[in-house]
Amino acid sequence: MEKDRYKLVANNKKAYFDYFIEEKYEAGIVLHGTEVKSIRAGKCSIKEAFIRIENGEVFIYGMHISPYEKGNIFNRDPLRVKKLMLHRYQILKINQKLKEKGYTLVPLSVYLSKGLVKVEIGLAKGKKLYDKRETIAKKDQRRESEKEYKGILKGV
Protein backbone atom coordinates (compact mmCIF):
# COMPACT_ATOMS: atom_id res chain seq x y z
CA MET A 1 0.00 0.00 0.00
CA GLU A 2 1.18 3.48 -0.78
CA LYS A 3 1.92 5.69 2.20
CA ASP A 4 0.06 8.78 0.92
CA ARG A 5 -3.20 6.88 0.35
CA TYR A 6 -3.16 5.05 3.69
CA LYS A 7 -3.94 6.52 7.13
CA LEU A 8 -3.94 4.26 10.19
CA VAL A 9 -6.83 5.05 12.55
CA ALA A 10 -6.74 2.20 15.11
CA ASN A 11 -4.35 -0.66 15.75
CA ASN A 12 -4.80 -3.84 17.81
CA LYS A 13 -1.34 -4.60 19.24
CA LYS A 14 -2.76 -7.10 21.71
CA ALA A 15 -3.89 -9.35 18.84
CA TYR A 16 -0.26 -9.91 17.80
CA PHE A 17 0.65 -10.74 21.40
CA ASP A 18 -2.23 -13.17 22.02
CA TYR A 19 -2.40 -14.88 18.60
CA PHE A 20 -0.32 -16.24 15.75
CA ILE A 21 -1.70 -14.40 12.70
CA GLU A 22 -1.74 -16.85 9.79
CA GLU A 23 -3.66 -14.96 7.09
CA LYS A 24 -4.73 -11.34 6.69
CA TYR A 25 -7.71 -9.97 4.79
CA GLU A 26 -8.82 -6.45 3.93
CA ALA A 27 -12.53 -5.88 4.49
CA GLY A 28 -14.77 -2.93 3.84
CA ILE A 29 -17.12 -1.88 6.63
CA VAL A 30 -20.75 -0.74 6.45
CA LEU A 31 -20.99 2.61 8.26
CA HIS A 32 -23.32 5.60 8.50
CA GLY A 33 -22.30 9.20 7.75
CA THR A 34 -21.42 10.44 11.23
CA GLU A 35 -19.48 7.24 11.97
CA VAL A 36 -17.26 7.89 8.95
CA LYS A 37 -16.62 11.46 10.12
CA SER A 38 -15.74 10.22 13.60
CA ILE A 39 -13.30 7.64 12.20
CA ARG A 40 -11.67 10.30 10.01
CA ALA A 41 -11.12 12.26 13.25
CA GLY A 42 -9.42 9.17 14.73
CA LYS A 43 -12.12 8.32 17.31
CA CYS A 44 -12.20 4.55 16.93
CA SER A 45 -11.11 1.60 19.08
CA ILE A 46 -10.88 -2.12 18.30
CA LYS A 47 -9.21 -3.30 21.52
CA GLU A 48 -12.25 -5.29 22.72
CA ALA A 49 -13.59 -6.16 19.26
CA PHE A 50 -14.16 -9.64 17.83
CA ILE A 51 -15.52 -10.99 14.55
CA ARG A 52 -18.14 -13.65 13.81
CA ILE A 53 -19.55 -15.21 10.65
CA GLU A 54 -23.34 -15.60 10.76
CA ASN A 55 -25.47 -16.86 7.84
CA GLY A 56 -22.63 -16.34 5.36
CA GLU A 57 -22.04 -12.71 6.45
CA VAL A 58 -19.19 -11.30 8.54
CA PHE A 59 -19.92 -9.00 11.50
CA ILE A 60 -17.66 -7.12 13.91
CA TYR A 61 -18.78 -6.81 17.53
CA GLY A 62 -17.42 -4.44 20.18
CA MET A 63 -15.81 -1.96 17.79
CA HIS A 64 -16.23 1.42 19.48
CA ILE A 65 -16.75 4.49 17.30
CA SER A 66 -17.22 7.62 19.41
CA PRO A 67 -20.24 9.77 18.53
CA TYR A 68 -19.42 12.67 16.20
CA GLU A 69 -19.55 15.99 18.13
CA LYS A 70 -21.62 17.79 15.49
CA GLY A 71 -23.75 14.75 14.67
CA ASN A 72 -26.68 15.35 17.11
CA ILE A 73 -29.66 13.13 16.07
CA PHE A 74 -27.73 11.35 13.30
CA ASN A 75 -25.29 9.68 15.71
CA ARG A 76 -25.60 5.91 16.09
CA ASP A 77 -24.90 3.62 19.03
CA PRO A 78 -21.09 3.58 19.47
CA LEU A 79 -20.96 -0.20 20.01
CA ARG A 80 -23.51 -1.33 17.41
CA VAL A 81 -22.74 -4.45 15.37
CA LYS A 82 -21.21 -3.55 12.00
CA LYS A 83 -21.19 -5.65 8.85
CA LEU A 84 -17.89 -6.32 7.09
CA MET A 85 -17.72 -6.72 3.33
CA LEU A 86 -15.66 -9.58 1.95
CA HIS A 87 -15.90 -11.64 -1.23
CA ARG A 88 -18.04 -14.78 -0.97
CA TYR A 89 -15.05 -17.07 -1.70
CA GLN A 90 -13.06 -15.40 1.11
CA ILE A 91 -15.91 -15.92 3.58
CA LEU A 92 -16.19 -19.60 2.60
CA LYS A 93 -12.42 -20.10 2.93
CA ILE A 94 -12.35 -18.40 6.35
CA ASN A 95 -15.38 -20.39 7.53
CA GLN A 96 -13.63 -23.68 6.64
CA LYS A 97 -10.59 -22.67 8.71
CA LEU A 98 -12.76 -21.55 11.66
CA LYS A 99 -14.25 -25.03 11.88
CA GLU A 100 -10.78 -26.33 12.78
CA LYS A 101 -9.92 -26.22 16.46
CA GLY A 102 -8.15 -23.14 17.80
CA TYR A 103 -8.81 -20.70 14.95
CA THR A 104 -10.53 -17.35 15.37
CA LEU A 105 -10.98 -14.06 13.53
CA VAL A 106 -9.53 -10.90 15.07
CA PRO A 107 -9.51 -7.29 13.88
CA LEU A 108 -5.92 -6.07 13.44
CA SER A 109 -6.30 -2.47 12.30
CA VAL A 110 -8.72 0.15 10.98
CA TYR A 111 -7.45 2.53 8.32
CA LEU A 112 -8.48 4.87 5.53
CA SER A 113 -7.52 3.72 2.05
CA LYS A 114 -8.33 5.94 -0.93
CA GLY A 115 -11.02 7.67 1.13
CA LEU A 116 -12.69 4.42 2.25
CA VAL A 117 -12.68 2.93 5.75
CA LYS A 118 -11.12 -0.53 5.77
CA VAL A 119 -10.58 -3.13 8.48
CA GLU A 120 -7.68 -5.55 8.35
CA ILE A 121 -8.77 -8.85 9.86
CA GLY A 122 -6.58 -11.80 10.66
CA LEU A 123 -7.22 -15.52 10.77
CA ALA A 124 -5.47 -16.35 14.01
CA LYS A 125 -4.55 -19.27 16.21
CA GLY A 126 -4.28 -18.69 19.97
CA LYS A 127 -0.90 -18.65 21.67
CA LYS A 128 -0.18 -20.70 24.74
CA LEU A 129 1.37 -19.10 27.84
CA TYR A 130 4.87 -20.33 26.95
CA ASP A 131 4.53 -18.79 23.46
CA LYS A 132 3.70 -15.43 25.04
CA ARG A 133 6.75 -15.69 27.32
CA GLU A 134 8.87 -16.44 24.26
CA THR A 135 7.50 -13.33 22.52
CA ILE A 136 8.35 -11.18 25.56
CA ALA A 137 11.87 -12.65 25.71
CA LYS A 138 12.47 -11.87 22.02
CA LYS A 139 11.29 -8.28 22.51
CA ASP A 140 13.59 -7.84 25.51
CA GLN A 141 16.52 -9.30 23.59
CA ARG A 142 15.90 -7.01 20.60
CA ARG A 143 15.59 -3.99 22.91
CA GLU A 144 18.91 -4.87 24.62
CA SER A 145 20.73 -5.28 21.30
CA GLU A 146 19.38 -1.93 20.08
CA LYS A 147 20.58 -0.31 23.32
CA GLU A 148 24.06 -1.80 22.86
CA TYR A 149 24.14 -0.69 19.22
CA LYS A 150 23.25 2.88 20.21
CA GLY A 151 25.97 2.79 22.87
CA ILE A 152 28.51 1.74 20.24
CA LEU A 153 27.43 4.56 17.92
CA LYS A 154 27.73 7.17 20.68
CA GLY A 155 31.21 5.93 21.57
CA VAL A 156 32.50 6.38 18.01
Side-chain angles (χ1 to χ4, degrees), residues 7-64:
K7 179 189 173 201
L8 186 66
V9 178
N11 199 5
N12 191 356
K13 292 179 184 175
K14 195 169 181 352
Y16 290 99
F17 182 72
D18 289 339
Y19 301 98
F20 293 114
I21 309 299
E22 295 194 0
E23 292 180 38
K24 293 180 183 180
Y25 298 92
E26 180 181 71
I29 184 166
V30 178
L31 296 171
H32 296 282
T34 56
E35 291 177 322
V36 175
K37 290 183 177 190
S38 190
I39 287 177
R40 285 184 193 277
K43 307 235 172 139
C44 173
S45 172
I46 55 171
K47 282 189 172 88
E48 302 295 321
F50 61 96
I51 299 170
R52 283 196 184 141
I53 297 178
E54 298 169 356
N55 301 325
E57 295 181 327
V58 184
F59 295 95
I60 186 166
Y61 293 82
M63 178 178 171
H64 187 275

Side-chain angles (χ1 to χ4, degrees), residues 17-142:
F17 182 72
D18 289 339
Y19 301 98
F20 293 114
I21 309 299
E22 295 194 0
E23 292 180 38
K24 293 180 183 180
Y25 298 92
E26 180 181 71
I29 184 166
V30 178
L31 296 171
H32 296 282
T34 56
E35 291 177 322
V36 175
K37 290 183 177 190
S38 190
I39 287 177
R40 285 184 193 277
K43 307 235 172 139
C44 173
S45 172
I46 55 171
K47 282 189 172 88
E48 302 295 321
F50 61 96
I51 299 170
R52 283 196 184 141
I53 297 178
E54 298 169 356
N55 301 325
E57 295 181 327
V58 184
F59 295 95
I60 186 166
Y61 293 82
M63 178 178 171
H64 187 275
I65 299 174
S66 299
Y68 186 59
E69 304 97 39
K70 300 174 183 118
N72 58 41
I73 61 167
F74 299 107
N75 281 330
R76 301 285 173 132
D77 177 30
L79 289 173
R80 78 176 180 85
V81 178
K82 295 151 193 78
K83 184 177 174 181
L84 298 180
M85 296 181 289
L86 285 166
H87 293 285
R88 175 76 47 213
Y89 69 89
Q90 289 176 321
I91 296 172
L92 293 172
K93 184 179 176 185
I94 291 169
N95 214 3
Q96 281 300 114
K97 280 286 198 177
L98 288 177
K99 288 179 183 172
E100 293 178 27
K101 191 176 182 214
Y103 280 98
T104 187
L105 272 178
V106 291
L108 301 174
S109 62
V110 177
Y111 56 91
L112 295 166
S113 175
K114 299 179 187 172
L116 301 173
V117 179
K118 302 285 185 178
V119 179
E120 185 178 42
I121 62 176
L123 186 64
K125 197 164 194 158
K127 284 185 180 180
K128 304 278 188 246
L129 182 62
Y130 57 83
D131 291 326
K132 291 180 186 179
R133 287 182 184 148
E134 189 177 306
T135 304
I136 292 170
K138 284 181 182 176
K139 276 186 185 176
D140 288 343
Q141 187 178 11
R142 191 182 71 232

